[in-house]
Amino acid sequence: MAGRRLRGVAGSPGVALGPAFVFAPAARAERPATASASPEAERARWREARARLEAAYDALLERAGGAEKAGETAEEGLAILEAQRMMAADPGLEAAVEEALAAGRPAEAAVREAVDRYAALFAGLEDAYLRQRAEDVREIGEALLRALAGEEPIPLAELPPGSILCAAELGAGALAALDRQALAGLALGSGGPTSHVAILARSMGVPAVLGLGDFLGELRPGQRLAVDGGSGELWIEPEGETLARLEAAARRERAEREALAALAGEPAVTPDGLSVELAANIGGPGDVGPALEAGAEGVGLFRTEFLVTGRETLPGEEEQAEVYRRVLEAMSGRPVIFRTFDVGGDKPLPALALAPEANPFLGYRAIRIGLEHAELLRTQLRAILRAAAAVAPEAGGEAESPARVMLPMVATLEEVRRARHLFEEVRRELTEEGRLPAGLRVPLGIMVEVPSAALIARQLAREVDFFSIGSNDLVQYTLAADRTNERVAGLYQPLHPAVLRLIGLCGEAAAEAGILCGLCGEMGGDPRATALLVGLGVRELSMAPASLARVKREVRRTPLAEARRLAAQALECATQAEVEELVERFLEGLEAGAAGAGAEGR
């Protein structure tokens, strides 16, 4: 006997067994149309609903904060809740609702329309991190509608320890507020592998199967379940060999998690002594906690676009400087790379009223906008430098700041020189104003994500202080394949020899010039690519915090000399398949070596 098996989609890897906890909050009551209600009355209802939602977030933050201090939940949960609370109070969302109310719309319709419009702005972005914000907005919209209906804005499940939580749907905020120690696994009727709840489950290390459809009717509370988040299967009352297999898999994964956790305090150094900086990609101050908790040695990519995306007015110097200072202070002297606004193209910027483009990925975006709208870039540079000054040592003298400035989508040397000229001009201004110590050095680097930049890397390396390879766009532009287009997704090949050769050019040029070569795209968090990248000269890898431990394990078991040999062989390959085969053999060799060393040590 094996029990019954339901197939969904893989949401978060891992196997978990436990009793079913069926979470089915009552459906939200729809309020009858209130055409006779006055705008003032509807405005009062909307404001009361928002106040109730903010109070609910405050209560959840207090609860999650207490649990975090007790070591019972990850800081990632706090970050999600803080981000959603900030978004619920966002002036842009408020203005959109108020505008609809003023036009005579009922509060429910005003919220729904404003949320749809706001979410659509994020959903259309190419950047996966910012695209996730659309789900946050929709979750906040549902919470506001529940509050307008007089219901609890964020219904929560009170889980018995070791439960498999089963629900038709669950927002990321509700998941973040759960007690991690009580939650063994997750089974949802909705969602997919790229949904925000899936991403959060992976960062929390909770096995999850999503997209199970209308499955709650097949369950009884307390039934023994097994979630296999790698295969996307949910087993109901597994038995016999199936149960033994699932239990063995759960034990293996528990052992691996413990082994990875043991690396948290260890340095990312190869067996022959090369130190590789492992950093985190973040999108706001709330992401710093999870990054540090995962062992990040710095921030390799701070996406500052959250400050401007969807806003009708641009943030001022003071507002920006405060955000940047908070991040630098939270990182306590560790390096933080601030990417200047990578907006335009697929990332609309209402404040500049940019016209839609037929081919936004090759259009008006990033540094091209920054150089043309010099005040936009100047204000941001001033804010970053002021934040750097705010955390600088009081002793004065020559010093290098942990703050680093990175220019996105550089394609030509002229762009770098124009940006450098503006950067130095801003430096002089702030020094003359007494806002920046004369001896404080803030490195200026570029993001290498266009093939032309990689091909002239030697010339660019003389003009900047560091490279950070944006592998997502570099792959996309090298192979002329939009990774979001399913019809050409097969051409999006990060391990293609052409991509590796461009990365190798950057590594060589950086080494010759004595500057750092980092990488902050998805390749940075792929353990299969770690040895190749180190062998190609990459010395800083920035990634999602959840990937740090596995990448550190690869660094610690890969001698530099062997990484260089692997990279040299990969550069001679003709296809990605050949590179993948080479890498697979290399990793098998490392595994065999580790197993042999373990046997000798016993």
Side-chain angles (χ1 to χ4, degrees):
M1 294 290 290
R4 284 183 293 144
R5 180 178 60 181
L6 305 181
R7 287 191 179 278
V9 297
S12 174
V15 175
L17 294 93
F21 181 90
V22 179
F23 181 54
R28 171 167 49 81
E30 287 292 336
R31 176 173 175 260
T34 53
S36 59
S38 68
E40 290 73 20
E42 293 300 288
R43 186 173 291 110
R45 290 183 62 233
W46 138 251
R47 290 179 178 173
E48 182 186 346
R50 191 178 62 172
R52 287 187 59 205
L53 178 59
E54 291 177 355
Y57 275 122
D58 288 343
L60 290 175
L61 281 164
E62 184 177 351
R63 166 177 154 158
E68 188 271 331
K69 286 176 187 171
E72 294 173 353
T73 191
E75 290 190 30
E76 178 81 5
L78 282 171
I80 292 282
L81 291 171
E82 286 173 349
Q84 290 195 350
R85 193 193 186 290
M86 287 176 61
M87 201 171 282
D90 185 88
L93 181 62
E94 179 181 9
V97 173
E98 294 279 356
E99 181 182 342
L101 291 171
R105 304 288 288 159
E108 284 83 354
V111 166
R112 198 174 289 115
E113 291 166 8
V115 163
D116 286 349
R117 184 161 26 130
Y118 216 57
L121 276 175
F122 286 101
L125 302 181
E126 189 268 338
D127 186 301
Y129 180 90
L130 293 174
R131 208 164 51 238
Q132 294 162 24
R133 302 281 79 78
E135 292 181 43
D136 283 327
V137 173
R138 294 191 188 99
E139 190 174 344
I140 290 164
E142 281 300 310
L144 283 168
L145 291 172
R146 279 192 292 269
L148 282 168
E151 300 169 4
E152 185 62 34
I154 307 173
L156 288 182
E158 296 293 340
L159 295 176
S163 298
I164 305 292
L165 176 62
C166 304
E169 59 182 11
L170 189 74
L175 174 58
L178 292 175
D179 179 356
R180 172 65 186 90
Q181 293 303 309
L183 180 64
L186 190 63
L188 298 181
S190 60
T194 60
S195 64
H196 199 178
V197 72
I199 292 166
L200 179 59
R202 289 196 288 272
S203 73
M204 294 170 70
V206 176
V209 175
L210 309 180
L212 287 160
D214 185 17
F215 76 114
L216 294 183
E218 302 190 40
L219 304 180
R220 291 195 315 275
Q223 251 180 332
R224 185 178 177 82
L225 302 181
V227 165
D228 185 342
S231 65
E233 295 171 328
L234 174 69
W235 290 87
I236 303 173
E237 296 185 328
E239 298 175 338
E241 291 182 2
T242 301
L243 176 61
R245 175 177 59 79
L246 291 167
E247 288 178 332
R251 284 195 298 274
R252 282 196 305 273
E253 288 169 7
R254 194 159 47 242
E256 185 184 22
R257 282 199 299 273
E258 290 171 359
L260 290 173
L263 294 177
E266 300 294 329
V269 178
T270 64
D272 42 3
L274 174 72
S275 181
V276 178
E277 185 178 316
L278 299 187
N281 298 337
I282 70 168
D287 294 340
V288 171
L292 290 174
E293 188 181 64
E297 300 169 58
V299 171
L301 171 62
F302 181 5
R303 301 178 178 93
T304 60
E305 296 79 38
F306 80 98
L307 283 162
V308 294
T309 303
R311 289 182 53 160
E312 299 289 342
T313 57
L314 294 172
E317 183 178 318
E318 296 294 334
E319 178 184 345
Q320 292 189 53
E322 171 63 16
V323 171
Y324 304 153
R325 180 191 60 76
R326 285 169 52 201
V327 170
L328 286 168
E329 286 184 346
M331 290 302 293
S332 304
R334 299 174 182 85
V336 177
I337 296 180
F338 295 88
R339 179 174 69 184
T340 58
F341 297 135
D342 185 6
V343 293
D346 67 316
K347 300 187 183 85
L349 188 56
L352 294 185
L354 300 174
E357 297 182 347
N359 196 343
F361 292 112
L362 300 180
Y364 188 52
R365 55 175 287 206
I367 192 61
R368 300 170 186 182
I369 291 178
L371 291 173
E372 189 158 323
H373 294 266
E375 276 310 304
L376 178 70
L377 182 56
R378 176 187 292 275
T379 300
Q380 188 173 28
L381 292 174
R382 282 182 61 93
I384 296 171
L385 291 178
R386 285 181 57 189
V391 299
E394 294 182 0
E398 296 290 327
E400 180 167 310
S401 170
R404 302 171 182 174
V405 177
M406 180 164 70
L407 308 171
M409 205 185 170
V410 166
T412 70
L413 190 63
E414 291 82 356
E415 289 170 331
V416 174
R417 287 177 173 166
R418 288 177 62 193
R420 168 70 80 178
H421 177 78
L422 180 62
F423 181 74
E424 296 301 336
E425 196 173 271
V426 168
R427 276 188 56 86
R428 282 194 299 276
E429 284 175 4
L430 289 171
T431 302
E432 289 169 5
E433 294 170 13
R435 294 174 180 265
L436 184 72
L440 185 64
R441 180 172 176 271
V442 177
L444 177 68
I446 61 169
M447 206 163 174
V448 180
E449 50 194 336
V450 179
S452 67
L455 291 167
I456 59 169
R458 184 165 289 142
Q459 289 74 23
L460 290 170
R462 299 176 193 138
E463 311 269 343
V464 300
D465 301 311
F466 66 90
F467 289 156
S468 184
I469 298 166
S471 61
N472 298 352
D473 272 345
L474 185 62
V475 174
Q476 180 168 256
Y477 289 134
T478 301
L479 293 158
D482 177 357
R483 64 188 176 130
T484 65
N485 184 338
E486 293 179 359
R487 298 185 67 179
V488 297
L491 287 171
Y492 185 85
Q493 300 177 0
L495 298 184
H496 192 282
V499 176
L500 299 182
R501 285 166 197 161
L502 293 175
I503 293 173
L505 289 175
C506 296
E508 286 177 11
E512 286 176 12
I515 65 173
L516 177 71
C517 180
L519 184 142
C520 60
E522 289 182 6
M523 281 181 79
D526 182 356
R528 294 182 311 149
T530 302
L532 269 177
L533 295 173
V534 171
L536 290 168
V538 177
R539 297 294 177 260
E540 182 243 29
L541 295 167
S542 191
M543 64 203 77
S547 300
L548 283 163
R550 284 187 169 80
V551 170
K552 183 186 287 188
R553 180 174 62 186
E554 296 307 310
V555 170
R556 288 178 58 82
R557 70 178 186 174
T558 306
L560 174 60
E562 292 188 26
R564 283 175 168 157
R565 271 196 291 276
L566 173 69
Q569 292 170 349
L571 293 178
E572 295 301 316
C573 291
T575 68
Q576 171 164 276
E578 291 177 15
V579 175
E580 288 176 331
E581 186 178 344
L582 191 66
V583 169
E584 191 173 334
R585 288 203 305 270
F586 180 83
L587 294 177
E588 287 173 355
L590 287 182
E591 290 284 353
E600 289 175 9
R602 287 195 287 271

